[in-house]
Amino acid sequence: ASSYLGRRLLGRRVPVRLSHPLSMGQLVGIVVTLASLAVTSGVAYSPEGLQRRLDKAKRPTSWQKRLDKALLDVDKNPQQRIRLLQKVAGDGKKIVSDVRVAAAEVQEKGIGKGHPLLLDLLFPDGTTARSDLEGLVALRKQLPELTKGLAPPTVEQLRAAAPAAPIDPTRVARTLADLAGDERKQRELLQEAKNALRSTPKGLETPKYR
């Protein structure tokens, strides 16, 4: 059954569905809500203070990392998500402060020059959200090049395409029956489903090159 967390986060009671990881759109919506709660006027910070914020954001116990795991980690169960969000709720003042700084940077410099700090402070390296955002940016840059040489298929090519084989209901029923009685296959299927949501499938991680 779905679990819910009803706690006071940033002065508001926020019910959160925890039975599955959130989508990137939902995560962005949460960040927009946090930004709307932050008043950017009068925000002042020193370079040293800003660096301390960035260093804290990279820690495994930072609110950024905990929120990312609670919302986007496909391996977390509902109980783990609740515990992580409870810890995030306890960092409400830190969240408001960090969002104010990030919003002030964008307000002062514009999204073009201000977004690097926003990403580093709210979506530090090592988070799923950061990886997904960078992947979307890279895809956006590559799409024009990938589609430049593509041409729509001709009528002859469509006619020559092999028709899909008809579905055999008996074979499908037999496969489902085998799956229901095979725990190993069930685990493999679950792992494949989780890998579909990961930027790098489990077992295929590669070292980061600089």
Side-chain angles (χ1 to χ4, degrees), residues 31-162:
V31 173
V32 171
T33 300
L34 293 177
S36 68
L37 297 174
V39 180
T40 61
S41 59
V43 175
Y45 49 86
S46 65
E48 295 78 10
L50 181 58
Q51 187 57 51
R52 284 196 296 270
R53 287 178 184 272
L54 294 173
D55 292 339
K56 290 179 180 178
K58 296 177 182 179
R59 296 175 183 174
T61 56
S62 69
W63 69 262
Q64 293 92 331
K65 294 290 184 71
R66 284 172 171 165
L67 184 62
D68 187 79
K69 290 179 181 178
L71 302 182
L72 297 176
D73 191 334
V74 297
D75 292 316
K76 298 299 180 187
N77 59 44
Q79 291 73 27
Q80 291 172 321
R81 298 183 196 282
I82 289 175
R83 287 195 294 270
L84 286 167
L85 286 175
Q86 286 174 338
K87 292 178 180 179
V88 171
D91 287 335
K93 292 183 179 180
K94 294 180 182 178
I95 295 174
V96 171
S97 179
D98 286 342
V99 173
R100 282 178 176 174
V101 170
E105 180 81 358
V106 173
Q107 187 179 55
E108 178 184 349
K109 299 181 179 179
I111 191 64
K113 294 183 178 180
H115 81 274
L117 174 62
L118 184 146
L119 287 177
D120 289 340
L121 189 54
L122 303 186
F123 306 104
D125 286 334
T127 59
T128 301
R130 178 63 173 265
S131 177
D132 290 347
L133 288 171
E134 290 177 345
L136 289 173
V137 172
L139 179 61
R140 182 181 178 184
K141 293 179 179 179
Q142 293 173 3
L143 275 178
E145 298 178 4
L146 294 174
T147 58
K148 190 174 182 180
L150 295 179
T154 63
V155 176
E156 290 74 14
Q157 290 174 330
L158 292 174
R159 289 176 179 173

Side-chain angles (χ1 to χ4, degrees), residues 190-210:
L190 178 60
Q191 188 62 52
E192 287 294 331
K194 289 182 176 181
N195 278 341
L197 299 175
R198 295 188 176 102
S199 56
T200 302
K202 196 171 183 178
L204 296 181
E205 294 87 352
T206 56
K208 292 184 178 180
Y209 296 96
R210 296 185 180 274

